[in-house]
Amino acid sequence: MFTMYGSIRVLLQVLWAQLLCGWVLGSELTFELPDNAKQCFYEDIIIGTKCTLEFQVVTGGHYDVDCRLEDPDGTVLYKEMKKQYDSFTFTAAKNGTYKFCFSNEFSTFTHKTVYFDFQVGEDPPLFPNENRVTALTQMESACVSIHEALKSVIDYQTHFRLREAQGRSRAEDLNTRVAFWSIGEAFILLVVSISQVVLLRSFFSDKKTTTTRVGS
């Protein structure tokens, strides 16, 4: 009975740690960025906290965007132009509100869909006494392994979701281009066919007129 209670307690701790990972580690968002537009986001960070900014352009144009990250004093920590995807890790040197912006101001008619994941801080310990001197029990070690495997699964799922969305966008764009090209070819074929018919009729009409004149 005690063993069963201990197992249930450990499993509840694993589930609670998974919930904490969704609440503590920052922000994850996919948003639309119109042409000639700029979108900024803000995050309050404590000094000494390790942070990671990861972004990727899912759809739109050449799948590129400008990204800029500033500290509370306005000092630029990261700046890249026309990047499709990138990841940047830093440790906060000051307390305050950090700002990161995505810009599509260089584009005149195409809007973008941008995904970003801003992670703040390290993962919370799975067990309150995980850093103790004594070794973890077999159940606790298994839970830690499952916890790490689940985080890897989440990362892979996010990665493949973005790949699938980007591939679908390119396929739809290619399908649209093929459809317009087919319509254009059909129109040109129709114009050429009508032109040939008119040209052939003009040849027979001229011949008939000439024959009539000779007879008279």
Side-chain angles (χ1 to χ4, degrees):
M1 184 69 180
F2 178 75
T3 304
M4 182 181 297
Y5 174 76
S7 301
I8 295 175
R9 180 176 59 84
V10 170
L11 291 176
L12 290 176
Q13 287 177 336
V14 172
L15 294 176
W16 178 249
Q18 293 297 324
L19 293 175
L20 287 178
C21 288
W23 293 341
V24 176
L25 296 183
S27 304
E28 184 178 7
L29 181 66
T30 302
F31 66 97
E32 295 284 339
L33 185 62
D35 54 285
N36 294 315
K38 181 179 180 181
Q39 184 70 46
C40 294
F41 302 89
Y42 303 86
E43 186 75 26
D44 293 331
I45 304 176
I46 301 175
I47 186 172
T49 304
K50 185 178 180 180
C51 307
T52 300
L53 173 62
E54 181 179 1
F55 68 90
Q56 179 177 343
V57 181
V58 182
T59 62
H62 296 287
Y63 302 90
D64 54 355
V65 72
D66 297 342
C67 182
R68 181 187 181 98
L69 173 66
E70 299 179 357
D71 67 4
D73 295 334
T75 304
V76 178
L77 303 179
Y78 171 83
K79 180 181 179 181
E80 288 292 341
M81 311 293 290
K82 295 184 177 181
K83 295 285 289 187
Q84 294 184 352
Y85 60 90
D86 202 4
S87 178
F88 176 69
T89 301
F90 68 98
T91 300
K94 302 174 183 177
N95 292 325
T97 302
Y98 287 71
K99 179 177 74 171
F100 55 100
C101 301
F102 298 96
S103 174
N104 192 31
E105 295 175 330
F106 59 87
S107 179
T108 56
F109 58 90
T110 57
H111 71 281
K112 310 289 176 63
T113 302
V114 182
Y115 161 84
F116 76 85
D117 182 12
F118 192 67
Q119 300 178 2
V120 180
E122 300 289 345
D123 291 343
L126 188 58
F127 302 103
N129 53 356
E130 187 174 346
N131 296 325
R132 63 190 178 189
V133 179
T134 58
L136 297 175
T137 63
Q138 184 177 1
M139 177 63 73
E140 291 174 341
S141 299
C143 290
V144 172
S145 300
I146 294 173
H147 176 63
E148 296 298 329
L150 288 175
K151 289 197 300 182
S152 299
V153 169
I154 292 174
D155 292 338
Y156 278 117
Q157 285 180 335
T158 302
H159 174 72
F160 284 113
R161 277 202 308 268
L162 294 175
R163 290 282 300 274
E164 186 271 337
Q166 191 176 69
R168 184 175 65 251
S169 174
R170 291 185 177 181
E172 291 175 352
D173 182 61
L174 181 60
N175 180 66
T176 302
R177 293 185 181 184
V178 171
F180 281 116
W181 180 260
S182 300
I183 294 173
E185 284 186 333
F187 179 76
I188 293 175
L189 182 62
L190 179 63
V191 171
V192 171
S193 301
I194 295 175
S195 301
Q196 289 178 344
V197 172
V198 172
L199 183 61
L200 289 175
R201 291 187 62 182
S202 66
F203 287 160
F204 287 106
S205 177
D206 291 343
K207 183 177 180 180
K208 183 178 179 180
T209 304
T210 302
T211 303
T212 303
R213 289 178 180 178
V214 172
S216 63

